[in-house]
Each structure stands twice: as C-alpha cells, then as structure tokens.
Amino acid sequence: MKKLITVCGGILLFGLGLGVGTVTNAAPSVTTIETEKAKIEYFDIENGDFDVVVTPKKGYNVKPEWTLQDDKFYKDVYLVGSTKERASEHVDASNAAFPELNWELSWGNE
C-alpha cells in the first residue's frame, strides 16, 4: 500500500511539474483575423510589446502607404493589399502621370 501511494504521489508531482512548465513556458497570446484575402495575427508579447503580422493570400501582396524608417515609431501604419495586375496598373499610371518617378514594379520581395 505504501508503495502504491508513493507511485501515485510521484505521478501526481510529475504531472504537476509538466503543468507548471507548460504555463511558465507558454507561447505569446495570439489573436487571428482571417479573410479570403489576408490573415492578420496579433501577438501579445510578455514584456508589454506586441507584434502584428499581415500575410496576404491568393496572389495578393501588401505595401506600406508611405516609407517606413527603422529608427522611427509610428502611431499607425497603413498597408495596402493588391493583386499583381492592379499593382502594375498603379505603377504604369503613376509613371504616365509623373515620368520623373520612373518606377519599376517590384512584386516578389521577401
């Protein structure tokens, strides 16, 4: 009987240790919004920071509406999602209206 209690106690403590390890090593909290055109993931990081990842789907890409700088922080960031065809039309129309731009379409950036 004493051996059975010792074994059960050991199993209980082992399980409790696994549970505590799972809680303390938990991944950041994630909130996901998903449509047929994009997936947006919000990660709540433990030190109070957060990350937002926007992943376009089905032939879409995104671009910021203005140039972002690594050493600047912004109150908001406006992203535009577009298909390659629409992006190409935008680049062509911009170049026609403002020839000095001389933009080239850049679609496959990683």
Side-chain angles (χ1 to χ4, degrees):
M1 182 69 165
K2 196 173 193 181
K3 195 173 192 178
L4 179 62
I5 292 173
T6 303
V7 169
C8 289
I11 291 171
L12 179 63
L13 288 174
F14 179 74
L16 183 59
L18 283 178
V20 169
T22 301
V23 170
T24 58
N25 296 326
S29 173
V30 180
T31 300
T32 302
I33 300 171
E34 194 162 356
T35 70
E36 61 185 52
K37 294 180 181 177
K39 177 179 178 181
I40 303 165
E41 296 171 288
Y42 169 89
F43 297 88
D44 196 5
I45 309 301
E46 65 186 32
N47 64 359
D49 292 341
F50 66 91
D51 293 336
V52 176
V53 178
V54 178
T55 306
K57 299 180 189 178
K58 296 185 180 178
Y60 284 85
N61 274 356
V62 293
K63 70 176 181 77
E65 195 58 21
W66 61 84
T67 302
L68 302 178
Q69 297 176 9
D70 289 340
D71 62 341
K72 303 287 186 230
F73 291 85
Y74 300 88
K75 290 195 180 284
D76 56 12
V77 177
Y78 185 75
L79 300 176
V80 175
S82 185
T83 63
K84 188 172 184 178
E85 179 181 331
R86 292 285 298 138
S88 182
E89 290 171 2
H90 170 70
V91 168
D92 292 345
S94 296
N95 282 333
F98 305 99
E100 68 277 5
L101 291 176
N102 197 27
W103 284 351
E104 290 185 34
L105 179 64
S106 177
W107 188 253
N109 300 316
E110 299 265 335

